[in-house]
Amino acid sequence: MRRREFIEAAVWAVVLFAVYLAIISTISLTEIVVGAITGAAWGAAAVLTRRTLLASDNDEIYWPRAGWLRWLLRLPDQAVSGFVRLLVRPHGAFAEIRLPQDDRSAARRGFGALAVSVAPNTYVADVDPDRNTLIVHRIGDRPSALEREVTR
């Protein structure tokens, strides 16, 4: 690990440690030790993930398209309607979401999985990079507006 990456990991660790301390109710020695260890581990994981995604031998592009920001407009409605569906009909089924194939398919799979999983009635159970699909478990029979948006 180079000096720059060590500094990046240390910054991540400090930020994550501060967030951890902010969300716990009582700060004790045990909590400080646990927070420091997990902050350091996740800081190192963040640096390793970035290094892997941006490696020169990786031919996939992981940067999102600016047009994908429109997915954010669907998130509030997706969360509310998903919560209502979950209350009304708490049983669901698996479905496949086929994504468009282009030079940013890997990024679309990743960001699409995050976006679709926001609602409490839907989660991504599997990602198939070979077929460029997301396998989701959803409450309801039809794809949500957000799911349709992700497939455009």
Side-chain angles (χ1 to χ4, degrees):
M1 190 178 278
R2 290 174 281 173
R3 182 173 186 230
R4 179 181 170 270
E5 291 171 334
F6 178 79
I7 292 170
E8 180 185 355
V11 169
W12 272 112
V14 168
V15 169
L16 293 169
F17 179 57
V19 168
Y20 177 78
L21 290 179
I23 62 173
I24 60 174
S25 59
T26 305
I27 298 176
S28 66
L29 179 60
T30 304
E31 296 293 348
I32 291 172
V33 170
V34 168
I37 291 171
T38 56
W42 287 109
V47 172
L48 292 173
T49 300
R50 183 190 50 75
R51 184 194 297 177
T52 301
L53 292 177
L54 300 178
S56 60
D57 62 341
N58 188 351
D59 58 349
E60 294 185 299
I61 300 170
Y62 289 91
W63 293 103
R65 295 189 187 279
W68 296 350
L69 288 174
R70 70 179 182 264
W71 299 353
L72 297 175
L73 299 173
R74 301 279 188 192
L75 291 180
D77 176 58
Q78 177 78 5
V80 172
S81 64
F83 182 70
V84 170
R85 282 185 183 147
L86 191 59
L87 289 176
V88 173
R89 183 179 171 217
H91 301 287
F94 287 96
E96 183 176 277
I97 300 174
R98 187 167 301 277
L99 302 173
Q101 188 77 31
D102 62 9
D103 64 331
R104 299 214 181 159
S105 294
R108 182 182 294 268
R109 286 190 305 271
F111 287 99
L114 286 173
V116 168
S117 296
V118 165
N121 69 319
T122 308
Y123 69 89
V124 176
D126 193 18
V127 177
D128 186 349
D130 296 329
R131 295 180 41 228
N132 205 37
T133 58
L134 303 177
I135 308 301
V136 299
H137 184 273
R138 77 166 79 101
I139 306 297
D141 301 326
R142 298 180 324 228
S144 67
L146 180 61
E147 291 177 51
R148 289 189 302 273
E149 191 73 36
V150 168
T151 61
R152 288 187 194 163

